[in-house]
């Protein structure tokens, strides 16, 4: 870890790598985030509509509940678990392959701090870009719910839109973003660790990739509990 | 010149290198030979500093590797070129990008000068301009080795290390790579250390040879006196191939015939 967070050997090369990592880990995740968020937003809305049928509960509650679920948990924690699978396995397998094909040794021989050169742009790039994914997920999730209201007869668009605006607390958006900073760090650093220290061949790279996803998922859940306690209490 | 003195190395309590002393001379192709598992790669990694030997010292032109601080070690590594067994080219860079990489990281040259230097190195190892924009996965194993050599010499290294440069190559390409390494060594006066078990390389470019057997340095010499060695382990290694067994039989028959005549 101390080797990773060092001053880069050459800032110009670091910035170039940073942009490449933001594109590869962040921008390339946008389609996945959009698809999953729209569908989950739609499903939450349908389930809320079906389950909130009491005349004592106002009709706009569906929109309100959908928004709270998306903002508080789905677009931060669950999305991070999904991204741990995509981004984490990508990082672990890429760095692991570099290790077993001696590319990391080649960097070390050249006198380059390989841990900093390879890992730092990934960690910084993903941590910087993850708020974009979170906000996009929140928006797309709400859009999925709106689509249910628009294209089905389960609830009206007016009720849904009123619901997602009612008792809105801006802090919940920040809460989701703050949480994902930590989650993004966990995903990238754990995956990089497993990839960097892989020994053996292709089989071990596969195992490292799996272990990275499992470990980072558990750590995300653990961090979620701690951060929720700290941020919402 | 690189000197190793009394180098010993352990892994998990098991000793793999035993008190190895060897010298690798400037402007010569120095070969470390031995069977697979004999410890020659571990020895080379100790020489480069990728592994730290528990005992013994390594000197680069009198500079003690062990006493170097991080900056000195970094400076030394910029003087080292390395050709890995699997070439170790960066997958996400083109041929030109791979060769330019060390220049981008360390040289004070402008982009145009870096480009010219990289193209010079690529042509020097015999690759055409058409290869410049290809990725490592798009070129043959022999071409990958050439690119790796071009990358290794891009910064004008004083020391060049090659780990099994011929592995996975056909005999003709192997000879070409050997000749290229030998030419570069003499042309630029580099201290080249080549790790190999290929007898063609030994006979073709072995100006100074260190034979490692089961972690011990059993013999040192050159390609002219390797057949005159009395070391049993070296003879077993040298005459292991079918071709050299034939040569051995021929030499024995010739010796018997001479004895008969006398």
């Amino acid at each position: 870890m101390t080797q990773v967070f060092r001053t880069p050997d050459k800032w110009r090369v670091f910035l170039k790598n940073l942009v490449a990592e933001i594109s590869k880990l962040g921008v390339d995740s946008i389609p996945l985030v959009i698809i999953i968020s729209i569908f989950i937003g739609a499903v939450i809305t349908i389930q809320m509509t079906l389950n909130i049928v009491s005349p004592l509960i106002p009709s706009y509650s569906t929109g309100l509940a959908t928004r709270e679920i998306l903002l508080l948990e789905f677009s931060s924690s669950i999305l991070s678990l999904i991204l741990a699978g995509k981004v984490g396995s990508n990082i672990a397998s890429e760095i692991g392959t570099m290790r077993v094909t001696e590319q990391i040794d080649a960097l070390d021989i050249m006198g380059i701090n390989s841990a900093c050169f390879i890992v730092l742009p990934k960690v910084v790039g993903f941590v910087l870009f993850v708020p974009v994914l979170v906000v996009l997920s929140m928006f797309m999730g709400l859009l999925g719910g709106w689509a249910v209201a628009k294209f089905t007869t389960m609830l009206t668009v007016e009720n849904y839109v009123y619901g997602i605006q009612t008792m809105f607390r801006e802090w919940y958006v920040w809460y989701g973003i703050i949480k994902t900073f930590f989650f993004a760090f966990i995903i990238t650093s754990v995956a990089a660790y497993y990839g960097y220290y892989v020994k053996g061949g292709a089989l071990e790279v596969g195992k490292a990739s799996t272990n990275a996803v499992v470990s980072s998922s558990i750590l995300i859940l653990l961090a979620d509990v701690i951060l929720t306690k700290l941020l919402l209490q | 010149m690189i000197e190793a003195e009394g180098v010993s190395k352990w892994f998990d309590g098991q000793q793999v290198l035993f008190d190895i002393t060897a010298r690798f001379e400037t402007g010569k192709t120095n070969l470390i030979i031995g069977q697979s598992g004999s410890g020659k790669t571990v020895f080379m990694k100790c020489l480069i500093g990728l592994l730290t030997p528990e005992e013994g010292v390594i000197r680069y032109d009198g500079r003690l590797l062990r006493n170097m601080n991080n900056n000195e070690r970094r400076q030394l590594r910029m003087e080292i070129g390395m050709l890995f067994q699997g070439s170790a080219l960066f997958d996400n860079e083109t041929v030109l990008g791979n060769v330019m990489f060390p220049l981008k990281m360390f040289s004070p040259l402008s982009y145009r000068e870096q480009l010219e230097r990289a193209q010079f190195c690529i042509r020097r190892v015999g690759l055409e301009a058409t290869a410049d924009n290809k990725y490592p996965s798009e070129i043959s194993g022999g071409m990958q080795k050439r690119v790796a050599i071009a990358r290794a010499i891009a910064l004008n290294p004083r020391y060049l290390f090659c780990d099994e440069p011929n592995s996975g190559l056909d005999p003709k390409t192997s000879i070409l790579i050997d000749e290229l390494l030998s030419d570069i060594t003499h042309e630029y006066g580099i201290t080249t250390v080549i790790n190999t078990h290929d007898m063609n390389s030994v006979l073709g470019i072995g100006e100074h040879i260190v034979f490692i057997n089961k972690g011990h340095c059993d013999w040192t010499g050159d390609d002219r006196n390797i057949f005159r060695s009395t070391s049993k382990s070296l003879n077993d290694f040298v005459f292991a191939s079918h071709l050299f067994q034939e040569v051995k039989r021929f030499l024995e028959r010739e010796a018997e015939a001479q004895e008969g005549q006398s």
Side-chain angles (χ1 to χ4, degrees), chain B residues 67-171:
Chain B
N67 288 355
M68 288 181 186
N69 59 31
N70 281 346
N71 278 341
E72 288 169 331
R73 204 169 267 240
R74 193 163 178 262
Q75 189 61 40
L76 173 71
R77 286 188 169 168
M78 285 160 64
E79 296 172 13
I80 293 176
M82 175 89 194
L83 173 61
F84 286 88
Q85 192 171 355
S87 298
L89 297 176
F90 304 124
D91 299 325
N92 56 346
E93 297 274 5
T94 60
V95 166
L96 190 63
N98 266 284
V99 181
M100 277 183 79
F101 184 80
L103 296 165
K104 270 195 292 191
M105 292 302 292
F106 297 114
S107 83
L109 302 175
S110 66
Y111 177 79
R112 192 177 185 82
E113 288 167 329
Q114 287 175 14
L115 190 67
E116 281 171 11
R117 172 70 188 158
Q119 285 171 337
F120 169 79
C121 292
I122 292 170
R123 303 296 164 264
R124 178 65 192 82
V125 298
L127 289 174
E128 300 294 326
T130 50
D132 284 5
N133 294 319
K134 288 187 174 169
Y135 284 89
S137 58
E138 297 170 339
I139 57 177
S140 68
M143 286 168 83
Q144 286 181 9
K145 296 276 181 188
R146 285 171 190 271
V147 178
I149 294 171
R151 185 177 68 181
I153 63 168
L155 283 173
N156 278 323
R158 290 173 68 181
Y159 315 99
L160 180 62
F161 290 88
C162 308
D163 188 15
E164 310 262 4
N166 298 333
S167 71
L169 300 181
D170 63 89

Side-chain angles (χ1 to χ4, degrees), chain A residues 45-120:
Chain A
T45 306
I46 293 168
Q47 290 191 348
M48 284 300 146
T49 311
L50 293 175
N51 286 290
I52 302 174
V53 286
S54 168
L56 296 172
I57 301 172
S59 54
Y60 62 79
S61 298
T62 300
L64 190 146
T66 303
R67 185 198 70 206
E68 299 294 63
I69 291 169
L70 287 169
L71 264 56
L72 288 170
E73 210 51 34
F74 174 77
S75 294
S76 51
S77 309
I78 306 301
L79 186 75
S80 293
L81 288 172
I82 293 163
L83 289 174
K86 182 189 178 289
V87 175
S89 62
N90 177 308
I91 291 173
S93 56
E94 183 188 326
I95 298 179
T97 305
M98 287 185 80
R99 170 63 75 191
V100 299
T101 56
E102 297 178 311
Q103 291 176 50
I104 292 176
D105 288 340
L107 288 169
D108 288 334
I109 289 293
M110 287 178 202
I112 295 165
N113 177 352
S114 59
C116 175
F117 182 82
I118 299 168
V119 180
L120 191 61

